[in-house]
């Protein structure tokens, strides 16, 4: 099951974004790195217990590791 943001006109899939930090040294033109993942839900039909999962875990984790320095 996909989790969606209920915007007024166009509901979009809920996403997780990890922004990478600015490196100490970079060229004149620099683009901020980061990774995205779509959030999905698993819901138990008997009790309503809900778990959230995110795809693209490897890229999200790599971006997170860069924030640790």
């Amino acid at each position: 099951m996909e989790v969606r943001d209920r915007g007024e006109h166009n509901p979009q899939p809920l996403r997780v974004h990890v922004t990478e930090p600015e490196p100490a040294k970079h060229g004149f033109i620099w683009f901020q790195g980061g990774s995205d993942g779509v959030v999905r839900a698993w819901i138990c039909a008997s009790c309503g217990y809900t778990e959230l999962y995110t795809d693209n875990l490897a890229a999200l984790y790599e971006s997170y590791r860069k924030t640790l320095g």
Side-chain angles (χ1 to χ4, degrees):
M1 175 181 297
E2 190 171 76
V3 181
R4 291 189 165 264
D5 177 18
R6 292 189 61 186
E8 285 185 36
H9 304 292
N10 189 13
Q12 298 294 319
L14 192 59
R15 302 182 72 79
V16 173
H17 181 78
V18 177
T19 302
E20 296 174 5
E22 181 176 350
K25 295 182 181 180
H26 57 77
F28 181 70
I29 297 175
W30 171 75
F31 295 99
Q32 181 114 33
S35 300
D36 291 301
V38 174
V39 176
R40 302 196 183 281
W42 179 87
I43 302 171
C44 176
S46 296
C47 69
Y49 177 79
T50 303
E51 294 178 350
L52 298 177
Y53 296 91
T54 305
D55 65 358
N56 202 22
L57 179 61
L60 288 166
Y61 184 66
E62 185 59 31
S63 292
Y64 168 73
R65 287 188 52 195
K66 291 178 181 178
T67 67
L68 300 177

